[in-house]
Amino acid sequence: MKGGPARGGGRAVVRPRSAVAALVAAAALGLVTGRFVLPSPSGADAHPPERSVAAAGGASQGASAPATPGASTPTPSASGSASGSASGSGSGAPAGATGPVTKANLLAPSAFGPDTGIGKIHVTDRFGDGHYANAACTGEKTLEETLGGPGAHFRGLMTSPRTNPSDPTLALDGADQVAREVAAEARSASLAQNFAQRLLLEQVPCQEETPGHWVYGRTTTLRLAPDVTASWMGAYQGTLNTTGTAPEGKEPCGGIAVLRSGTHYGVLEVNACLGTAAMDRVVRTALSQL
C-alpha cells in the first residue's frame, strides 16, 4: 500500500527499519501518552516526497486541491479508542465489511469535490503486491513483506493519464498524484484489526524527524462503528518542522490514513494538499466505502 511519503516514481532512499523492540516500546508508550515516539531517523528531507496537486482553502502548490482545520491525538489501540478520537458510532452505525474487496470498495474521484479545485481525476487499478504508503523514514517494503499476506487492490487517482511504467497506479510525474489506496481482506475481523494496527505502526516513526525534514502530525482516529475505524496523520513540509515534530495549529498538506472495516483493511495516501477538514471528509468517505 503506497501512501505517506514514498510516492510518485522516484522513491526516497530506504532507511533501515527501527528495531522490533523499538516499535513494541513505542506502541506501549503510545497507549499511555496518546502519541508514539520512536528514534528519529537520519538523513532528513526538506519536503514530503512528491507532495503535489494544489491546496484548497490554504497555500496552493502546483496543480489544484484543498485545505481546512483541527486535529486530535489517539493511539492505534486494539479498541481504536483514544483521546480526541472522532466517534461516529451509535444508532445507524455502518456494519463492518465482509467478503472479498472489490473495486466498489475503493475510493472514487467524487470524494474530491469541486471545492478542492483538483479537476478531472483519472483512475487506474491493479491487483497484486507492491510498495504501499510506507515511507523512507520507516523503511519501504511491499505489503507482503509487511503483512505476509496475499495480493491487494491498488488504485491510483491522478490528474494525468500518464502513469509510471513500473506501476500504473502511480503518476509518471509525482506532482500529478492525487491519492493512492491499497485495500485487501483478511480471513477474520480480528486479523484485519491486527493488520491495520501493524500498518499504522509502520507510519509512526515519521511523526518524529529532525527539523527541516517533512513530518507526519498527530494521529486522528475516526470511529463509525466498533469495527469500522480509521486513523490518519496529516503531512507537514520540512519548512514547518522546526522542533522535530509537526507544528501545532498549522494545517497539514494531505497525509495518510489506515482504514479498517470488518474483515477489510487498507491504507490511503492523499497527495493532494488537503487541510484537516478536507482530509477528514475524504478519509470518512474511504472508510464508509471500504
Side-chain angles (χ1 to χ4, degrees):
M1 309 184 176
K2 182 89 181 155
R7 59 178 96 300
R11 190 175 247 73
V13 177
V14 176
R15 286 188 17 199
R17 294 187 60 203
S18 301
V20 173
L23 283 177
V24 173
L29 179 58
L31 293 176
V32 177
T33 65
R35 184 180 184 85
F36 298 95
V37 179
L38 269 71
S40 297
S42 60
D45 298 321
H47 305 288
E50 306 280 7
R51 196 157 283 288
S52 59
V53 193
S60 64
Q61 52 182 102
S64 46
T68 351
S72 49
T73 312
T75 67
S77 60
S79 66
S81 62
S83 61
S85 62
S87 176
S89 57
S91 59
T98 58
V101 170
T102 69
K103 291 182 179 179
N105 296 119
L106 302 177
L107 190 67
S110 57
F112 299 87
D115 59 310
T116 64
I118 293 176
K120 180 178 176 58
I121 296 177
H122 301 269
V123 174
T124 55
D125 293 299
R126 72 175 179 84
F127 180 85
D129 189 26
H131 291 86
Y132 55 105
N134 52 356
C137 59
T138 66
E140 294 176 6
K141 299 179 298 299
T142 66
L143 184 63
E144 184 175 359
E145 288 172 333
T146 298
L147 301 178
H153 290 268
F154 286 69
R155 167 164 289 184
L157 298 97
M158 53 202 82
T159 57
S160 169
R162 301 171 63 216
T163 62
N164 191 309
S166 65
D167 188 336
T169 64
L170 292 172
L172 182 62
D173 182 345
D176 296 327
Q177 195 83 35
V178 175
R180 187 164 180 256
E181 183 178 15
V182 185
E185 68 275 356
R187 294 189 302 273
S188 67
S190 60
L191 187 58
Q193 182 182 49
N194 175 276
F195 284 172
Q197 290 173 330
R198 288 161 61 185
L199 290 168
L200 183 57
L201 284 174
E202 283 289 325
Q203 312 304 325
V204 167
C206 301
Q207 290 181 316
E208 301 279 344
E209 287 289 351
T210 54
H213 190 293
W214 72 266
V215 67
Y216 279 145
R218 295 185 177 187
T219 308
T220 297
T221 296
L222 305 176
R223 181 192 300 279
L224 304 187
D227 61 347
V228 183
T229 65
S231 295
W232 67 271
M233 307 172 190
Y236 294 83
Q237 299 289 340
T239 53
L240 295 177
N241 174 15
T242 60
T243 63
T245 59
E248 295 291 342
K250 297 290 186 179
E251 283 297 303
C253 182
I256 188 171
V258 176
L259 316 168
R260 183 252 171 159
S261 176
T263 58
H264 294 182
Y265 63 94
V267 174
L268 171 67
E269 180 180 27
V270 177
N271 301 65
C273 195
L274 305 190
T276 304
M279 275 294 295
D280 184 89
R281 184 182 69 240
V282 170
V283 172
R284 283 178 184 272
T285 300
L287 179 59
S288 298
Q289 199 154 350
L290 184 64

